[in-house]
Amino acid sequence: SDAKQPLSSLSAAQLRDYLAAQQRAYTVLQERGLALDLTRGKPSTAQLDLSDELLHLPVTVKDGDGVDCRNYGGLTGIRQIREMFADLLWVEPEQVVAGGNSSLTMMHDCLVQMLLHGAVDSARAWARDERVKFICPVPGYDRHFTMLASYGIEMIPVDMLADGPDADAIEALVATDAAIKGMWIVPTYANPSGSVISMEVASRLAAMPTAAPDFKIFWDNAYAFHHLTEQEAKGVDILSVCSGAGHPNRPIMFASTSKITYAGAGVAFLAASAENVAWYLRHQQFASIGPDKLNQLRHVQYFKTPQGVRDLMVKHREILAPKFAAVDAALTAELDGLEVATWSKPTGGYFVNLDVLDGTAGRVVALAKAAGIVLTPAGASFPGGHDPRDRNIRLAPSFPVLADVETAMAGVATCVALASAEKLAA
Ligand code: PLP
């Protein structure tokens, strides 16, 4: 492609011409009357179809231990699925609880129990403290932030870097402020940055002294197996790393098959120290007599082995990778060389992180919307929905079919070019 000049290096007359050209391109875009949606990281229909064998399972109602899965009981989830995901998550089966269909619910349950009763190492319930704060790597997952906000927990943004959250900043914060009770982290293929935590950063988070004796890492492994290339990121065994650093009760790991089988009908997992697992079950016993074991058994019979999960993820990759390539191609074709935007080229996960010129993200999203392309609201990946630089846009290409991703992203690129020209010409 023809190398473009940085927009900021154009003369006033050249910039006026460029702006006029983008305005014309935008008018053409609007006239197409598109109705496309790149907002949420949902699996596509083709991906859901991969697992439709589930609809014919289970073929028996008893699990490997002879437990009738149709009946009450078994709060930890069935042994076979705990073993399967213990293998995949590099933990021990006893450290795993297999729950319902949503890991977000398990995160929420943990948080609420900590607020109401305290964690295993708390002097008292968190809610008794005047202020509770969490460290929030940004950009991050909007639902993590809205969950904290709903309980009045203060959020302290810390930058997400290529190798995980800014450990220097986190170490300094937690060392002195006892109100900081925890942090979120999506360690592998983070939503939305795509970054993968390094062993070094993970080790620092595991070992760092914290003013709060009951500091917790909510280790959200939502994308642990969701590779987009053959270069598969290795997850950090955070339970062992924390244990080795003398903080066995610091991490609670979460994962689910929401983006492996069915997003609305998968199986969710929690993994933690024996003490944390006992704590979780002690509180959970008042909320449930047991999870949907039949769905767990169905998943065991479908996957058969941990390798069955990995094999399925390759099929997801084959559907998803071309969509991510289309995002990169559209942005590159329109914006490469202009120096008005940078974007991630994720090797896994569900998102592309697009950073535009400061102060233009809201404008890009509004332009796209007026042209029939719905993007995640600007700032959604920040606590309170507020991106202080108004530059971050989360792109979610998984759900639309490939042709729609191509069309939508060409349109998004036009909107970025127009908003950038407007800003520089102003
Ligand atoms: N965690 C992250 C980082 C996510 O991106 C998502 C879904 O987008 C979830 C958790 C939701 O997980 P679940 O479907 O298991 O509740």
Side-chain angles (χ1 to χ4, degrees), residues 40-41 101-105 107 141 143-144 186 190-191 220-223 255-259 263 267-268 350-351 394:
R40 290 232 75 96
N101 74 320
S102 166
S103 63
L104 197 66
T105 299
M107 299 176 216
Y141 179 36
R143 289 181 189 274
H144 286 164
V186 182
N191 172 356
D220 182 355
N221 236 336
Y223 301 106
S256 78
T257 72
S258 289
K259 284 160 196 120
V267 181
Y350 264 61
F351 302 98
R394 185 185 82 169

Side-chain angles (χ1 to χ4, degrees), residues 85-86 89-97 187 199 202-203 206 216-219 221 235-254 270-277:
F85 277 80
L89 295 164
W90 290 312
V91 299
E92 297 302 322
E94 314 78 65
Q95 295 177 312
V96 177
V97 176
M199 184 52 134
S203 303
K216 292 284 164 279
I217 299 177
F218 280 56
W219 185 268
N221 236 336
V236 172
D237 172 8
I238 194 64
L239 300 191
S240 300
V241 174
C242 282
S243 204
H247 302 125
N249 296 325
R250 182 172 289 185
I252 303 183
M253 184 194 289
F254 304 92
L270 169 157
S273 68
E275 218 180 324
N276 274 339
V277 166

